[in-house]
Amino acid sequence: MDEQEAARSLDMMRATRGVLAARTRWSLARHAAVGVLLGGLIAGYALPGSWPVVIVVVCLAAAVAIVARDRSRDGFFVNGYRPGRTRQITFVLVAIAFAGLVSAIALKERYGLDWAPVAIGIVLAIVATIVSVFWERVYRQELEELGRER
């Protein structure tokens, strides 16, 4: 590969990233689905018996359905753990969710606050929806920055 061919390849890659950045727009409902799944995982812990396990299975199945829908509709699925600033945002959200889970368990088991997982789940659903919207914006910025590099 000579220098001109390499330069053309890089230009094509930059143009493709620009097109991808323009296509990566998900609806508020799609972002809310992420929030509802994370919040539901926490809120489900308020249920008696083995129902929390059922909720986990339902949330996992819904996550698989969301990935399949993204691939069908958009032709791709963007993993939240991809390299870049988005990975840091994902880790912050995971930490918030884990703190919510630990808090929900402690408040329910230690203090008898059976409603705590529901309240924490609702808050987490809202936070996760907002973080998902922010994540998308950062992802598009990263693609646009890579597309402009020369």
Side-chain angles (χ1 to χ4, degrees):
M1 177 181 289
D2 65 10
E3 279 188 42
Q4 287 182 344
E5 189 177 356
R8 282 192 304 272
S9 294
L10 284 173
D11 286 342
M12 283 177 34
M13 187 176 71
R14 287 183 192 108
T16 301
R17 284 190 172 139
V19 170
L20 185 59
R23 284 187 57 202
T24 54
R25 299 203 188 280
W26 293 281
S27 68
L28 183 57
R30 167 64 174 74
H31 293 293
V34 171
V36 168
L37 289 180
L38 278 174
L41 286 171
I42 306 301
Y45 189 72
L47 297 171
S50 61
W51 281 104
V53 174
V54 172
I55 296 299
V56 168
V57 170
V58 168
C59 286
L60 288 174
V64 168
I66 289 171
V67 170
R69 178 218 162 261
D70 282 0
R71 285 191 173 138
S72 171
R73 183 188 145 231
D74 302 327
F76 59 92
F77 172 77
V78 182
N79 183 330
Y81 296 101
R82 58 177 290 286
R85 293 185 311 248
T86 54
R87 183 183 289 173
Q88 295 165 344
I89 296 167
T90 300
F91 285 150
V92 167
L93 181 57
V94 168
I96 291 169
F98 185 72
L101 176 63
V102 170
S103 299
I105 291 169
L107 290 170
K108 180 181 178 187
E109 297 298 324
R110 187 174 292 169
Y111 299 106
L113 300 174
D114 293 336
W115 54 267
V118 174
I120 292 170
I122 290 169
V123 170
L124 183 59
I126 294 165
V127 168
T129 300
I130 293 166
V131 170
S132 181
V133 170
F134 178 68
W135 187 99
E136 177 191 327
R137 288 183 183 158
V138 171
Y139 175 64
R140 275 198 323 268
Q141 287 173 353
E142 286 180 346
L143 288 175
E144 289 167 357
E145 287 168 5
L146 288 171
R148 287 191 301 260
E149 285 180 5
R150 190 72 171 125

